[in-house]
Amino acid sequence: MRKLFCFTFLMIAIYQTPLVADSALKKSQRSVKAINSLKLDFELEMYSSLRKRTRTRTGKGLFSKPSSFRWRFDDKYGRETYFFNGSKLSHYKESENLVLNFLPNSGFSKELIRIVEMILDHNKLAKVYDVTQQTDYLTELKPRGPQNTEIKKIAISLTAPNRRYVSSIAIHYQDSNISTYRFKNQSVPKKTPKKSFVFINPGTVKEKTMK
């Protein structure tokens, strides 16, 4: 479930908040404010402090404001897709011909939703994080208050040279686990149908609801 928690974080109004001081994020926010959807290629590197090893996943993402997403993993570990339309979260495992339906705030889905908010609306960060370090392309944040005690810090990097999009997000957890998302080939799709974020069962896939 840590994977799902990391997976659905990836989507974060320039007001009087600590985040406004960061000119890089402010510039990026002006760019993403003008778009409603974004597609990209991603790499997810997950470091386990318990096992002392790193696992890397790759795939494609499609995001739409405020927090809808489709994360498709396609690598040596298999093909699987996470769908979220703002209310319903589904995890489709192709090799098992199985789709799992989750509560949006459970496990890895919580992280995936968070990541998408960070990419599409940086200012949501200002509500729960303080800037601790910043350069032209990198901003480090620490959680404010007890509601984010599982996270130690977050590092956000922007694309060079225009700082238009987020290029990477590294989430450092209190248990020393680290989830690092890297993004490339960002582009704005011409159309993003709402059905893109819902798993549509052709009638042959087993479904299970997780509590």
Side-chain angles (χ1 to χ4, degrees), residues 90-107:
S90 300
H91 177 197
Y92 173 44
K93 300 181 178 183
E94 290 189 27
S95 62
E96 300 178 37
N97 194 39
L98 173 68
V99 61
L100 304 175
N101 297 312
F102 292 89
L103 293 174
N105 291 321
S106 64

Side-chain angles (χ1 to χ4, degrees), residues 23-32 122 136-137 157-167 186:
S23 59
L25 279 181
K26 189 175 181 180
K27 182 181 177 74
S28 176
Q29 174 64 19
R30 286 197 294 267
S31 296
V32 298
H122 311 326
D136 287 343
Y137 296 100
S157 297
L158 302 176
T159 54
N162 56 23
R163 294 173 288 185
R164 184 177 184 183
Y165 300 121
V166 171
S167 60
Q186 295 96 330

